[in-house]
Amino acid sequence: MSAVSFAAAFVVSASIWLFAVQLTGHHEPWDGIWPIYHLWLFGGTLLAVLVQPRRPWWALLGTYVGQVVSLLLQGPDYPTWVALLVILLLSTWQAVLGASAGYLIGWVVPWRRFC
């Protein structure tokens, strides 16, 4: 189940970057309408954590890796890789909040306690 949690978070976070222009109208999703990028990462990570609430770090790792891989696939549009990776790491606070919410929901809702 941890692999499913990682994969779900990976796909959600990569898709916001790969389809940023279609979803937000900008090459960088955080430049679009304010809540889209933040809610996308929050909601995607929350749902991924609900798959495996006892191991939320898998979803967090999937969220971060998904964003990095999608940026690498986009090519030379991003010349300052070190700065971008640091910014990307700092911008995943939404995923941390989503993972925390998913973790709490996973422990409160009885049907997820056996995971």
Side-chain angles (χ1 to χ4, degrees):
M1 292 304 272
S2 297
V4 174
S5 179
F6 176 88
F10 180 93
V11 168
V12 168
S13 64
S15 65
I16 190 69
W17 281 94
L18 293 174
F19 302 109
V21 174
Q22 293 86 354
L23 294 171
T24 67
H26 297 276
H27 288 297
E28 296 173 346
W30 54 56
D31 288 340
I33 300 171
W34 179 74
I36 292 174
Y37 175 70
H38 305 291
L39 290 175
W40 194 276
L41 291 181
F42 175 85
T45 308
L46 185 144
L47 293 174
V49 167
L50 289 177
V51 171
Q52 180 59 283
R54 290 192 179 181
R55 295 188 179 103
W57 56 86
W58 283 108
L60 284 172
L61 183 63
T63 299
Y64 183 71
V65 171
Q67 291 184 82
V68 170
V69 168
S70 65
L71 287 173
L72 290 172
L73 292 174
Q74 289 183 13
D77 292 341
Y78 300 97
T80 55
W81 287 104
V82 175
L84 182 62
L85 293 178
V86 170
I87 290 170
L88 193 57
L89 180 61
L90 294 176
S91 73
T92 55
W93 60 269
Q94 308 89 342
V96 172
L97 290 177
S100 300
Y103 181 77
L104 291 174
I105 291 169
W107 281 102
V108 171
V109 177
W111 58 270
R112 295 306 299 166
R113 287 184 187 257
F114 60 88
C115 292

